[in-house]
Amino acid sequence: MALPASAVPADFRLKGSQPAVPSLDGAVIALIDRAQLQVRSSDTGHIQQTYDLPPGFATSCRFIKWHRQPEGQRLLLADDARVVVYDISRPQVYAEITGATGLTKLANVDFGRTSDEVMVFSDFGFKLQIWSLITKRAIEIKDPKSISPCYSYRSTTGHLALLTRPASHDILMIVAPHTHELLETVELSTVDARGIMYSPDGNWLVVWDTASAGRRVLVLTADGNLFKTYSLPQNELNLGVRSVQWSRGSDFIAVGDNEGTVTILGANTFTPRTTCTQSATIESLHGSVWQEEIGPSRTRGYAEAKQPAMSPSNESFRSVKEGDAGITILESNIDGSLLAFKCNDTPSTLRIFSPRSGELIAALIHHAPVRAIRWHDRHADLLLIQCAIRDPTIYVWRASWSSPRIFSLSLKPPLGHLTASWLSSDQGNIRYMLTNSEQLAVGQFTPDGSESQANGHFLDGLGPEEMFDEGHSLDLSPARLLEQDTMVDDTAAPGLSTQFGFTSTVEDTFQYRRPR
Protein backbone atom coordinates (compact mmCIF):
# COMPACT_ATOMS: atom_id res chain seq x y z
CA MET A 1 0.00 0.00 0.00
CA ALA A 2 1.01 3.60 -0.38
CA LEU A 3 2.97 4.87 2.58
CA PRO A 4 2.36 8.38 3.91
CA ALA A 5 5.72 10.08 3.46
CA SER A 6 5.39 11.75 6.83
CA ALA A 7 2.64 13.15 8.97
CA VAL A 8 2.76 16.67 7.66
CA PRO A 9 -0.04 19.13 6.96
CA ALA A 10 -0.63 20.13 3.38
CA ASP A 11 -2.05 23.61 3.32
CA PHE A 12 0.71 25.72 1.79
CA ARG A 13 -1.09 27.63 -0.95
CA LEU A 14 0.74 29.63 -3.61
CA LYS A 15 -0.41 32.35 -5.96
CA GLY A 16 1.86 32.26 -9.00
CA SER A 17 2.22 30.97 -12.53
CA GLN A 18 5.07 28.49 -11.96
CA PRO A 19 5.66 25.61 -9.55
CA ALA A 20 8.35 25.97 -6.91
CA VAL A 21 11.87 25.02 -8.02
CA PRO A 22 14.58 23.62 -5.70
CA SER A 23 18.22 24.62 -6.08
CA LEU A 24 20.55 22.04 -7.61
CA ASP A 25 21.73 20.87 -4.20
CA GLY A 26 18.15 20.80 -2.89
CA ALA A 27 19.01 23.03 0.07
CA VAL A 28 16.68 25.92 -0.80
CA ILE A 29 13.48 26.36 -2.78
CA ALA A 30 12.42 29.31 -4.95
CA LEU A 31 8.71 29.97 -5.23
CA ILE A 32 6.36 32.73 -6.33
CA ASP A 33 3.64 33.70 -3.88
CA ARG A 34 1.40 36.56 -4.92
CA ALA A 35 3.68 39.50 -5.80
CA GLN A 36 6.78 38.06 -4.15
CA LEU A 37 9.63 35.74 -4.97
CA GLN A 38 10.52 33.77 -1.86
CA VAL A 39 13.64 31.70 -1.23
CA ARG A 40 13.01 29.19 1.57
CA SER A 41 15.09 26.57 3.31
CA SER A 42 13.97 23.11 2.24
CA ASP A 43 14.94 21.82 5.68
CA THR A 44 13.11 24.24 7.99
CA GLY A 45 10.83 26.09 5.58
CA HIS A 46 12.08 29.43 6.89
CA ILE A 47 12.21 32.32 4.45
CA GLN A 48 15.82 33.24 3.68
CA GLN A 49 15.15 35.99 1.14
CA THR A 50 12.16 37.78 -0.38
CA TYR A 51 11.94 40.03 -3.43
CA ASP A 52 9.07 42.18 -4.63
CA LEU A 53 8.19 41.36 -8.22
CA PRO A 54 7.25 43.91 -10.91
CA PRO A 55 3.48 44.38 -11.40
CA GLY A 56 1.96 41.41 -13.22
CA PHE A 57 5.25 39.48 -13.27
CA ALA A 58 4.03 36.85 -10.80
CA THR A 59 1.37 35.68 -13.25
CA SER A 60 3.30 36.21 -16.50
CA CYS A 61 6.51 34.47 -15.36
CA ARG A 62 7.29 31.40 -17.52
CA PHE A 63 10.75 30.41 -16.31
CA ILE A 64 12.38 29.90 -12.91
CA LYS A 65 15.91 28.54 -13.27
CA TRP A 66 18.86 28.11 -10.94
CA HIS A 67 22.43 28.29 -12.11
CA ARG A 68 23.79 24.89 -13.18
CA GLN A 69 26.43 24.81 -10.42
CA PRO A 70 25.35 24.60 -6.75
CA GLU A 71 27.80 27.28 -5.67
CA GLY A 72 26.84 30.89 -6.32
CA GLN A 73 23.12 30.30 -5.74
CA ARG A 74 21.77 32.64 -8.38
CA LEU A 75 18.45 32.19 -10.09
CA LEU A 76 16.56 33.93 -12.86
CA LEU A 77 12.91 34.55 -13.62
CA ALA A 78 11.62 35.42 -17.09
CA ASP A 79 8.41 36.07 -18.97
CA ASP A 80 7.88 36.83 -22.67
CA ALA A 81 9.97 40.00 -22.67
CA ARG A 82 11.95 40.37 -19.45
CA VAL A 83 14.64 38.49 -17.51
CA VAL A 84 15.33 39.24 -13.84
CA VAL A 85 18.39 37.78 -12.08
CA TYR A 86 18.66 37.35 -8.31
CA ASP A 87 21.63 36.56 -6.08
CA ILE A 88 20.13 35.10 -2.92
CA SER A 89 23.00 36.45 -0.82
CA ARG A 90 21.79 39.98 -1.61
CA PRO A 91 18.47 41.60 -0.76
CA GLN A 92 18.26 43.58 -4.01
CA VAL A 93 17.57 42.45 -7.55
CA TYR A 94 20.94 41.70 -9.13
CA ALA A 95 20.21 42.50 -12.80
CA GLU A 96 17.36 42.90 -15.25
CA ILE A 97 17.24 42.50 -19.03
CA THR A 98 14.25 43.94 -20.89
CA GLY A 99 13.35 44.05 -24.58
CA ALA A 100 16.26 41.81 -25.60
CA THR A 101 14.14 39.85 -28.09
CA GLY A 102 12.73 42.90 -29.86
CA LEU A 103 9.37 42.29 -31.50
CA THR A 104 9.50 38.53 -30.95
CA LYS A 105 8.77 36.70 -27.73
CA LEU A 106 11.37 35.13 -25.51
CA ALA A 107 11.44 31.42 -26.38
CA ASN A 108 13.94 30.17 -23.81
CA VAL A 109 16.35 31.54 -21.23
CA ASP A 110 19.09 30.04 -19.08
CA PHE A 111 22.35 30.83 -17.39
CA GLY A 112 25.42 30.48 -19.56
CA ARG A 113 28.74 28.90 -18.60
CA THR A 114 28.81 30.87 -15.34
CA SER A 115 26.24 32.65 -13.23
CA ASP A 116 27.54 35.91 -14.73
CA GLU A 117 26.13 35.01 -18.17
CA VAL A 118 22.51 34.78 -19.32
CA MET A 119 21.40 33.21 -22.60
CA VAL A 120 18.25 34.66 -24.18
CA PHE A 121 16.66 32.85 -27.14
CA SER A 122 14.18 34.67 -29.35
CA ASP A 123 11.10 32.96 -30.75
CA PHE A 124 11.23 31.23 -34.17
CA GLY A 125 15.02 30.71 -33.88
CA PHE A 126 15.63 34.35 -34.81
CA LYS A 127 18.63 35.01 -32.57
CA LEU A 128 20.49 34.12 -29.39
CA GLN A 129 21.91 36.77 -27.09
CA ILE A 130 24.52 35.95 -24.46
CA TRP A 131 24.53 38.71 -21.85
CA SER A 132 27.43 39.35 -19.50
CA LEU A 133 26.32 40.54 -16.06
CA ILE A 134 29.84 41.92 -15.54
CA THR A 135 30.36 44.01 -18.67
CA LYS A 136 26.62 44.58 -19.18
CA ARG A 137 27.02 43.82 -22.88
CA ALA A 138 25.78 41.00 -25.10
CA ILE A 139 26.90 39.15 -28.19
CA GLU A 140 24.26 38.13 -30.68
CA ILE A 141 24.21 34.95 -32.75
CA LYS A 142 21.69 34.63 -35.54
CA ASP A 143 19.67 31.56 -36.51
CA PRO A 144 20.14 29.19 -33.54
CA LYS A 145 18.18 26.00 -34.07
CA SER A 146 14.78 25.87 -32.38
CA ILE A 147 15.41 22.51 -30.76
CA SER A 148 16.36 21.31 -27.32
CA PRO A 149 19.19 20.89 -26.72
CA CYS A 150 20.68 23.16 -29.41
CA TYR A 151 23.79 24.02 -27.37
CA SER A 152 26.18 22.45 -24.91
CA TYR A 153 29.02 23.74 -22.73
CA ARG A 154 32.31 21.88 -22.42
CA SER A 155 32.78 21.13 -18.73
CA THR A 156 36.57 21.38 -18.68
CA THR A 157 37.13 24.62 -20.60
CA GLY A 158 33.76 26.34 -20.87
CA HIS A 159 33.64 26.38 -24.69
CA LEU A 160 30.16 26.66 -26.17
CA ALA A 161 29.02 24.34 -28.97
CA LEU A 162 25.95 25.71 -30.73
CA LEU A 163 23.81 24.39 -33.59
CA THR A 164 22.62 27.01 -36.09
CA ARG A 165 20.88 26.82 -39.45
CA PRO A 166 21.37 30.05 -41.43
CA ALA A 167 20.39 28.40 -44.72
CA SER A 168 19.83 24.83 -45.86
CA HIS A 169 22.64 23.26 -43.82
CA ASP A 170 23.32 22.75 -40.14
CA ILE A 171 26.30 24.74 -38.88
CA LEU A 172 28.18 23.88 -35.70
CA MET A 173 29.79 26.87 -33.95
CA ILE A 174 32.49 26.58 -31.30
CA VAL A 175 32.61 29.76 -29.21
CA ALA A 176 35.39 30.68 -26.77
CA PRO A 177 34.58 31.31 -23.10
CA HIS A 178 34.80 34.84 -21.66
CA THR A 179 35.56 36.59 -24.98
CA HIS A 180 32.86 34.72 -26.97
CA GLU A 181 35.19 34.71 -29.95
CA LEU A 182 34.08 32.45 -32.80
CA LEU A 183 36.74 29.73 -32.98
CA GLU A 184 35.31 27.17 -35.39
CA THR A 185 32.42 26.80 -37.82
CA VAL A 186 31.72 23.34 -39.15
CA GLU A 187 29.14 22.45 -41.79
CA LEU A 188 27.60 19.19 -40.64
CA SER A 189 26.48 16.36 -42.87
CA THR A 190 23.17 16.08 -41.03
CA VAL A 191 19.80 16.43 -42.73
CA ASP A 192 18.29 18.28 -39.76
CA ALA A 193 20.22 17.90 -36.48
CA ARG A 194 17.98 17.38 -33.45
CA GLY A 195 20.41 17.77 -30.57
CA ILE A 196 23.97 18.28 -29.39
CA MET A 197 25.78 17.25 -26.22
CA TYR A 198 29.34 17.35 -24.87
CA SER A 199 30.47 14.34 -22.89
CA PRO A 200 30.68 15.08 -19.14
CA ASP A 201 34.50 14.83 -19.31
CA GLY A 202 34.59 17.28 -22.23
CA ASN A 203 36.47 14.97 -24.62
CA TRP A 204 33.70 14.28 -27.12
CA LEU A 205 30.77 15.99 -28.78
CA VAL A 206 27.77 14.13 -30.22
CA VAL A 207 25.13 15.37 -32.66
CA TRP A 208 22.13 13.28 -33.64
CA ASP A 209 20.12 13.61 -36.83
CA THR A 210 16.41 13.78 -37.49
CA ALA A 211 14.45 10.53 -37.46
CA SER A 212 13.90 10.67 -41.24
CA ALA A 213 17.66 10.30 -41.73
CA GLY A 214 17.65 6.92 -40.01
CA ARG A 215 19.56 5.94 -36.91
CA ARG A 216 22.44 8.39 -37.28
CA VAL A 217 24.70 9.84 -34.59
CA LEU A 218 27.81 11.93 -35.31
CA VAL A 219 30.70 11.70 -32.85
CA LEU A 220 33.05 14.66 -33.04
CA THR A 221 36.17 15.69 -31.18
CA ALA A 222 35.86 18.52 -28.70
CA ASP A 223 36.84 21.10 -31.34
CA GLY A 224 34.25 19.90 -33.86
CA ASN A 225 36.16 17.49 -36.11
CA LEU A 226 34.23 14.40 -37.18
CA PHE A 227 35.58 11.25 -35.54
CA LYS A 228 32.94 8.65 -36.34
CA THR A 229 29.37 8.27 -37.55
CA TYR A 230 27.18 5.63 -35.98
CA SER A 231 24.48 4.54 -38.39
CA LEU A 232 22.75 1.45 -39.73
CA PRO A 233 23.27 0.17 -43.27
CA GLN A 234 21.21 2.05 -45.84
CA ASN A 235 19.36 -1.11 -46.87
CA GLU A 236 18.22 -1.70 -43.27
CA LEU A 237 14.96 0.09 -42.56
CA ASN A 238 14.73 1.94 -39.26
CA LEU A 239 12.78 4.82 -37.76
CA GLY A 240 15.70 6.91 -36.57
CA VAL A 241 16.97 8.34 -33.29
CA ARG A 242 14.59 9.70 -30.64
CA SER A 243 16.86 10.40 -27.64
CA VAL A 244 20.54 10.35 -26.69
CA GLN A 245 22.13 10.33 -23.22
CA TRP A 246 25.75 10.30 -22.05
CA SER A 247 26.63 8.35 -18.93
CA ARG A 248 27.81 10.54 -16.04
CA GLY A 249 31.28 9.01 -16.29
CA SER A 250 31.48 9.49 -20.11
CA ASP A 251 32.13 5.77 -20.63
CA PHE A 252 29.16 5.18 -22.94
CA ILE A 253 26.39 6.80 -24.96
CA ALA A 254 22.83 5.50 -24.78
CA VAL A 255 20.93 5.91 -28.07
CA GLY A 256 17.17 5.45 -27.97
CA ASP A 257 15.39 5.03 -31.30
CA ASN A 258 11.80 5.27 -32.48
CA GLU A 259 11.44 1.49 -32.58
CA GLY A 260 11.84 0.97 -28.83
CA THR A 261 15.49 -0.10 -28.71
CA VAL A 262 18.24 1.40 -26.56
CA THR A 263 21.75 0.85 -27.95
CA ILE A 264 24.82 1.35 -25.77
CA LEU A 265 27.85 2.72 -27.64
CA GLY A 266 31.11 2.24 -25.78
CA ALA A 267 33.33 5.31 -25.48
CA ASN A 268 36.49 5.59 -27.61
CA THR A 269 35.32 3.06 -30.23
CA PHE A 270 31.65 4.16 -30.30
CA THR A 271 30.47 0.79 -31.52
CA PRO A 272 27.38 -1.05 -30.17
CA ARG A 273 28.15 -2.82 -26.91
CA THR A 274 24.74 -3.93 -25.64
CA THR A 275 21.09 -3.33 -26.49
CA CYS A 276 17.79 -3.46 -24.66
CA THR A 277 14.51 -3.62 -26.56
CA GLN A 278 11.03 -2.95 -25.27
CA SER A 279 8.26 -5.38 -26.04
CA ALA A 280 4.69 -5.85 -24.90
CA THR A 281 5.73 -9.10 -23.22
CA ILE A 282 8.27 -8.79 -20.40
CA GLU A 283 10.33 -11.75 -19.28
CA SER A 284 13.65 -11.55 -17.46
CA LEU A 285 15.89 -14.28 -16.07
CA HIS A 286 17.66 -11.91 -13.68
CA GLY A 287 15.19 -9.11 -12.97
CA SER A 288 11.79 -8.64 -11.38
CA VAL A 289 8.59 -7.29 -12.88
CA TRP A 290 6.42 -5.15 -10.61
CA GLN A 291 2.85 -4.13 -11.29
CA GLU A 292 0.96 -1.28 -9.64
CA GLU A 293 -2.22 -2.28 -7.81
CA ILE A 294 -5.01 -0.01 -6.52
CA GLY A 295 -7.00 -1.20 -3.53
CA PRO A 296 -10.70 -0.58 -2.74
CA SER A 297 -9.85 2.61 -0.79
CA ARG A 298 -7.61 3.80 -3.66
CA THR A 299 -4.45 2.82 -1.81
CA ARG A 300 -1.63 2.14 -4.25
CA GLY A 301 1.07 -0.48 -4.03
CA TYR A 302 3.31 -2.79 -6.06
CA ALA A 303 2.91 -6.53 -6.45
CA GLU A 304 5.38 -8.78 -8.20
CA ALA A 305 3.92 -9.89 -11.52
CA LYS A 306 4.12 -13.41 -12.80
CA GLN A 307 6.36 -13.71 -15.86
CA PRO A 308 5.89 -13.35 -18.73
CA ALA A 309 4.00 -10.13 -17.97
CA MET A 310 2.11 -7.95 -20.40
CA SER A 311 2.61 -4.19 -20.75
CA PRO A 312 -0.38 -2.03 -21.72
CA SER A 313 0.06 -0.47 -25.16
CA ASN A 314 -0.30 3.22 -25.97
CA GLU A 315 -3.80 2.53 -27.29
CA SER A 316 -4.90 2.03 -23.69
CA PHE A 317 -4.17 5.66 -22.76
CA ARG A 318 -5.89 8.70 -24.19
CA SER A 319 -3.11 11.03 -23.04
CA VAL A 320 -0.58 9.45 -25.42
CA LYS A 321 -0.65 11.08 -28.84
CA GLU A 322 -1.18 8.78 -31.78
CA GLY A 323 2.07 8.23 -33.66
CA ASP A 324 4.21 9.45 -30.75
CA ALA A 325 6.50 6.43 -30.56
CA GLY A 326 10.02 5.63 -29.49
CA ILE A 327 12.21 6.08 -26.43
CA THR A 328 10.95 9.33 -24.91
CA ILE A 329 12.60 9.01 -21.47
CA LEU A 330 16.21 7.85 -21.16
CA GLU A 331 18.40 8.54 -18.14
CA SER A 332 21.55 7.05 -16.62
CA ASN A 333 22.22 7.01 -12.89
CA ILE A 334 25.16 8.84 -11.32
CA ASP A 335 27.73 6.02 -11.60
CA GLY A 336 26.57 4.67 -14.96
CA SER A 337 25.66 1.24 -13.61
CA LEU A 338 21.92 1.56 -14.35
CA LEU A 339 19.85 3.02 -17.16
CA ALA A 340 16.10 3.64 -17.04
CA PHE A 341 13.94 4.22 -20.10
CA LYS A 342 10.36 4.49 -21.26
CA CYS A 343 9.06 3.70 -24.72
CA ASN A 344 5.84 5.35 -25.84
CA ASP A 345 4.66 2.09 -27.38
CA THR A 346 4.19 0.88 -23.77
CA PRO A 347 4.02 4.24 -21.97
CA SER A 348 3.12 3.02 -18.48
CA THR A 349 6.12 0.68 -18.25
CA LEU A 350 9.55 1.76 -17.04
CA ARG A 351 12.48 -0.55 -17.68
CA ILE A 352 15.75 -0.50 -15.73
CA PHE A 353 18.69 -2.39 -17.13
CA SER A 354 22.46 -2.68 -16.83
CA PRO A 355 24.25 -0.89 -19.69
CA ARG A 356 27.31 -3.04 -19.08
CA SER A 357 25.70 -6.47 -19.26
CA GLY A 358 22.50 -5.60 -21.12
CA GLU A 359 20.45 -7.51 -18.52
CA LEU A 360 17.04 -6.24 -17.50
CA ILE A 361 17.18 -5.45 -13.77
CA ALA A 362 13.55 -4.48 -13.21
CA ALA A 363 10.40 -3.47 -15.03
CA LEU A 364 7.64 -1.43 -13.39
CA ILE A 365 4.14 -1.44 -14.90
CA HIS A 366 1.77 1.35 -13.82
CA HIS A 367 -1.86 2.31 -14.29
CA ALA A 368 -0.92 5.57 -16.04
CA PRO A 369 1.85 6.67 -18.42
CA VAL A 370 5.22 7.49 -16.86
CA ARG A 371 5.69 11.26 -17.01
CA ALA A 372 9.20 11.83 -15.59
CA ILE A 373 12.02 10.10 -13.73
CA ARG A 374 14.89 11.41 -11.59
CA TRP A 375 17.88 9.47 -10.30
CA HIS A 376 19.21 10.57 -6.93
CA ASP A 377 22.57 12.35 -7.00
CA ARG A 378 23.91 10.65 -3.86
CA HIS A 379 22.20 7.25 -3.82
CA ALA A 380 23.12 5.66 -7.15
CA ASP A 381 20.39 3.00 -7.11
CA LEU A 382 17.53 5.28 -6.04
CA LEU A 383 15.01 6.36 -8.68
CA LEU A 384 11.99 8.68 -8.39
CA ILE A 385 9.15 8.07 -10.85
CA GLN A 386 6.19 10.29 -11.67
CA CYS A 387 3.12 9.09 -13.51
CA ALA A 388 0.39 11.06 -15.25
CA ILE A 389 -2.07 10.95 -12.37
CA ARG A 390 -3.74 13.68 -10.32
CA ASP A 391 -2.93 12.08 -6.98
CA PRO A 392 -0.04 13.64 -4.97
CA THR A 393 1.95 10.44 -5.30
CA ILE A 394 5.48 9.43 -6.23
CA TYR A 395 6.85 5.99 -7.08
CA VAL A 396 10.30 5.05 -5.82
CA TRP A 397 12.50 2.14 -6.87
CA ARG A 398 15.73 1.08 -5.22
CA ALA A 399 17.86 -1.92 -6.10
CA SER A 400 18.45 -2.86 -2.46
CA TRP A 401 14.75 -2.89 -1.53
CA SER A 402 12.64 -6.02 -1.57
CA SER A 403 10.01 -4.16 -3.60
CA PRO A 404 9.40 -0.62 -4.94
CA ARG A 405 7.51 1.86 -2.78
CA ILE A 406 4.72 4.37 -3.35
CA PHE A 407 4.59 7.50 -1.18
CA SER A 408 1.69 9.93 -0.94
CA LEU A 409 1.18 13.40 0.48
CA SER A 410 -2.09 15.09 1.39
CA LEU A 411 -2.63 18.05 -0.89
CA LYS A 412 -5.84 19.96 -1.39
CA PRO A 413 -7.71 19.69 -4.70
CA PRO A 414 -7.60 20.83 -7.41
CA LEU A 415 -4.10 19.47 -7.93
CA GLY A 416 -3.42 19.94 -11.63
CA HIS A 417 0.07 19.21 -12.95
CA LEU A 418 2.44 18.23 -10.12
CA THR A 419 6.23 18.24 -10.28
CA ALA A 420 8.40 16.06 -8.05
CA SER A 421 12.05 16.73 -7.13
CA TRP A 422 14.68 15.36 -4.79
CA LEU A 423 15.80 17.60 -1.92
CA SER A 424 18.90 17.54 0.27
CA SER A 425 18.99 14.72 2.82
CA ASP A 426 17.84 15.43 6.37
CA GLN A 427 19.50 13.44 9.20
CA GLY A 428 19.76 10.34 7.06
CA ASN A 429 16.21 10.53 5.71
CA ILE A 430 15.62 10.92 1.98
CA ARG A 431 13.52 13.96 1.17
CA TYR A 432 11.48 15.01 -1.85
CA MET A 433 9.13 17.77 -2.89
CA LEU A 434 5.77 17.83 -4.69
CA THR A 435 4.61 21.14 -6.10
CA ASN A 436 2.51 22.94 -8.66
CA SER A 437 1.80 26.64 -9.15
CA GLU A 438 -0.59 26.66 -6.17
CA GLN A 439 0.76 24.21 -3.57
CA LEU A 440 3.98 22.87 -2.15
CA ALA A 441 4.70 19.99 0.21
CA VAL A 442 7.83 18.17 1.37
CA GLY A 443 7.94 14.47 2.22
CA GLN A 444 10.59 12.08 3.49
CA PHE A 445 11.29 8.40 4.00
CA THR A 446 14.10 6.35 5.49
CA PRO A 447 16.88 4.82 3.36
CA ASP A 448 15.35 1.35 3.81
CA GLY A 449 12.06 2.57 2.32
CA SER A 450 9.95 2.51 5.47
CA GLU A 451 7.82 5.33 6.76
CA SER A 452 9.82 7.97 8.58
CA GLN A 453 8.93 8.16 12.27
CA ALA A 454 10.24 11.71 12.60
CA ASN A 455 7.89 14.26 11.12
CA GLY A 456 9.16 15.54 7.82
CA HIS A 457 9.19 19.32 7.90
CA PHE A 458 6.58 20.99 5.80
CA LEU A 459 6.87 24.52 4.46
CA ASP A 460 4.20 26.02 6.67
CA GLY A 461 1.43 27.74 4.78
CA LEU A 462 0.26 31.22 5.62
CA GLY A 463 -3.49 31.39 6.07
CA PRO A 464 -5.33 34.72 6.35
CA GLU A 465 -5.08 34.65 10.14
CA GLU A 466 -1.28 34.15 10.00
CA MET A 467 -0.56 36.52 7.19
CA PHE A 468 0.54 39.39 9.37
CA ASP A 469 2.49 37.47 12.00
CA GLU A 470 5.89 38.91 12.67
CA GLY A 471 8.40 37.80 10.05
CA HIS A 472 5.72 36.32 7.78
CA SER A 473 3.91 39.31 6.34
CA LEU A 474 2.87 39.20 2.71
CA ASP A 475 2.52 42.48 0.85
CA LEU A 476 -0.74 42.31 -1.10
CA SER A 477 -0.35 45.81 -2.52
CA PRO A 478 1.05 46.25 -6.04
CA ALA A 479 4.71 45.27 -6.11
CA ARG A 480 7.22 48.10 -6.09
CA LEU A 481 10.41 48.17 -8.10
CA LEU A 482 13.66 48.59 -6.24
CA GLU A 483 15.73 51.70 -6.83
CA GLN A 484 18.11 51.02 -9.66
CA ASP A 485 21.15 52.42 -11.39
CA THR A 486 20.61 52.12 -15.12
CA MET A 487 23.84 52.01 -17.06
CA VAL A 488 23.52 52.70 -20.78
CA ASP A 489 26.40 53.31 -23.14
CA ASP A 490 24.98 55.57 -25.84
CA THR A 491 28.41 56.24 -27.27
CA ALA A 492 29.21 52.65 -28.13
CA ALA A 493 29.63 51.92 -31.81
CA PRO A 494 27.08 49.69 -33.53
CA GLY A 495 27.98 46.02 -33.46
CA LEU A 496 29.76 44.48 -36.42
CA SER A 497 28.12 41.43 -38.00
CA THR A 498 29.87 38.54 -39.68
CA GLN A 499 28.52 36.06 -42.17
CA PHE A 500 27.88 33.69 -39.28
CA GLY A 501 25.58 36.10 -37.48
CA PHE A 502 27.79 37.38 -34.66
CA THR A 503 26.92 40.85 -33.38
CA SER A 504 28.23 42.80 -30.42
CA THR A 505 25.27 44.45 -28.72
CA VAL A 506 25.39 47.46 -26.42
CA GLU A 507 23.59 47.28 -23.13
CA ASP A 508 20.60 49.49 -23.95
CA THR A 509 18.24 46.83 -22.64
CA PHE A 510 20.29 46.00 -19.56
CA GLN A 511 19.57 47.30 -16.09
CA TYR A 512 22.12 46.54 -13.43
CA ARG A 513 21.73 46.77 -9.67
CA ARG A 514 24.92 47.75 -7.93
CA PRO A 515 25.43 46.16 -4.52
CA ARG A 516 24.74 48.65 -1.75
Side-chain angles (χ1 to χ4, degrees):
M1 60 180 294
L3 300 176
S6 54
V8 294
D11 55 358
F12 188 70
R13 310 289 289 189
L14 306 177
K15 295 291 184 181
S17 59
Q18 295 295 312
V21 180
S23 58
L24 296 189
D25 59 4
V28 292
I29 300 171
L31 59 93
I32 295 175
D33 188 21
R34 296 171 176 85
Q36 279 191 334
L37 168 66
Q38 298 180 0
V39 179
R40 289 175 173 257
S41 166
S42 66
D43 183 21
T44 64
H46 294 160
I47 296 177
Q48 296 186 353
Q49 202 66 266
T50 61
Y51 303 93
D52 290 332
L53 298 176
F57 196 62
T59 55
S60 65
C61 178
R62 296 170 49 214
F63 301 95
I64 303 178
K65 293 190 177 182
W66 291 90
H67 181 236
R68 295 182 186 86
Q69 301 299 325
E71 60 273 8
Q73 296 294 53
R74 286 183 186 172
L75 73 156
L76 63 80
L77 274 65
D79 60 8
D80 288 339
R82 170 170 40 196
V83 183
V84 186
V85 181
Y86 302 89
D87 187 323
I88 67 172
S89 65
R90 301 178 179 181
Q92 298 90 9
V93 172
Y94 187 74
E96 183 172 345
I97 304 170
T98 57
T101 57
L103 298 178
T104 62
K105 290 184 179 181
L106 186 151
N108 192 19
V109 63
D110 206 346
F111 283 102
R113 183 183 69 89
T114 70
S115 61
D116 288 319
E117 293 180 354
V118 174
M119 307 178 73
V120 181
F121 289 85
S122 298
D123 212 355
F124 309 113
F126 178 60
K127 65 180 178 180
L128 159 67
Q129 288 185 331
I130 305 177
W131 284 90
S132 169
L133 304 187
I134 298 175
T135 66
K136 301 168 288 297
R137 299 176 67 90
I139 64 103
E140 186 175 291
I141 305 175
K142 296 179 181 178
D143 306 309
K145 297 206 69 171
S146 300
I147 57 172
S148 180
C150 73
Y151 69 94
S152 182
Y153 279 98
R154 191 182 184 195
S155 60
T156 52
T157 63
H159 287 79
L160 169 67
L162 175 70
L163 290 174
T164 66
R165 195 175 179 92
S168 58
H169 296 285
D170 291 325
I171 300 294
L172 167 65
M173 290 183 175
I174 305 295
V175 182
H178 306 297
T179 63
H180 298 116
E181 177 186 357
L182 180 61
L183 301 179
E184 296 285 346
T185 58
V186 180
E187 184 175 317
L188 300 174
S189 60
T190 50
V191 175
D192 184 12
R194 305 312 298 164
I196 186 170
M197 193 180 299
Y198 267 114
S199 60
D201 62 10
N203 292 335
W204 302 101
L205 185 64
V206 295
V207 177
W208 54 101
D209 212 343
T210 184
S212 61
R215 196 185 303 175
R216 195 160 183 265
V217 179
L218 278 60
V219 181
L220 303 98
T221 58
D223 56 357
N225 293 308
L226 181 64
F227 175 76
K228 190 168 186 176
T229 299
Y230 164 68
S231 61
L232 295 181
Q234 292 184 352
N235 60 353
E236 185 174 336
L237 295 176
N238 64 89
L239 300 180
V241 175
R242 181 64 187 263
S243 53
V244 173
Q245 179 72 49
W246 276 100
S247 67
R248 303 278 189 98
S250 305
D251 54 339
F252 68 82
I253 306 174
V255 179
D257 61 28
N258 282 294
E259 299 168 87
T261 298
V262 176
T263 303
I264 303 300
L265 306 180
N268 300 325
T269 61
F270 299 102
T271 55
R273 194 167 70 187
T274 58
T275 61
C276 186
T277 302
Q278 74 83 29
S279 62
T281 303
I282 305 175
E283 189 169 13
S284 173
L285 296 176
H286 305 280
S288 301
V289 180
W290 300 95
Q291 193 159 8
E292 180 186 7
E293 292 184 341
I294 302 178
S297 58
R298 295 197 60 80
T299 56
R300 297 175 182 270
Y302 281 106
E304 189 165 5
K306 185 178 180 181
Q307 300 188 39
M310 295 296 295
S311 297
S313 68
N314 55 8
E315 298 175 354
S316 305
F317 304 98
R318 295 179 181 179
S319 59
V320 179
K321 296 179 181 179
E322 186 176 354
D324 187 14
I327 306 297
T328 54
I329 293 178
L330 179 63
E331 191 170 336
S332 168
N333 70 339
I334 191 169
D335 64 4
S337 61
L338 297 169
L339 191 74
F341 72 93
K342 180 196 93 168
C343 178
N344 258 17
D345 294 338
T346 54
S348 66
T349 301
L350 186 74
R351 293 168 172 83
I352 304 167
F353 80 105
S354 167
R356 293 167 183 153
S357 65
E359 295 177 350
L360 183 67
I361 304 299
L364 287 76
I365 304 173
H366 304 91
H367 280 263
V370 175
R371 177 188 291 164
I373 65 172
R374 289 174 178 84
W375 288 101
H376 201 282
D377 283 337
R378 294 188 179 180
H379 305 279
D381 64 340
L382 185 61
L383 179 64
L384 181 152
I385 306 163
Q386 254 195 297
C387 292
I389 59 175
R390 293 186 177 274
D391 296 346
T393 298
I394 65 165
Y395 304 79
V396 182
W397 176 88
R398 192 168 194 177
S400 59
W401 291 348
S402 59
S403 66
R405 307 287 198 269
I406 301 177
F407 299 103
S408 297
L409 291 175
S410 298
L411 291 178
K412 296 178 181 178
L415 295 176
H417 183 91
L418 290 169
T419 300
S421 304
W422 292 119
L423 297 177
S424 57
S425 298
D426 175 29
Q427 299 177 352
N429 289 329
I430 298 168
R431 303 168 65 242
Y432 68 93
M433 178 182 78
L434 270 174
T435 180
N436 58 18
S437 61
E438 297 180 349
Q439 298 185 73
L440 165 63
V442 172
Q444 64 180 359
F445 53 89
T446 58
D448 63 1
S450 61
E451 178 184 356
S452 176
Q453 298 302 313
N455 287 339
H457 193 92
F458 179 78
L459 302 186
D460 298 321
L462 302 180
E465 70 283 354
E466 305 169 279
M467 197 167 292
F468 300 101
D469 288 350
E470 183 179 356
H472 295 286
S473 62
L474 288 179
D475 184 6
L476 301 183
S477 61
R480 62 187 184 277
L481 287 174
L482 298 171
E483 292 182 9
Q484 63 189 36
D485 295 320
T486 303
M487 305 184 66
V488 180
D489 185 0
D490 294 326
T491 62
L496 299 178
S497 300
T498 71
Q499 60 176 320
F500 297 108
F502 256 65
T503 305
S504 175
T505 307
V506 297
E507 62 274 21
D508 58 343
T509 61
F510 189 90
Q511 298 172 348
Y512 182 70
R513 270 69 166 181
R514 289 175 176 170
R516 301 187 186 279

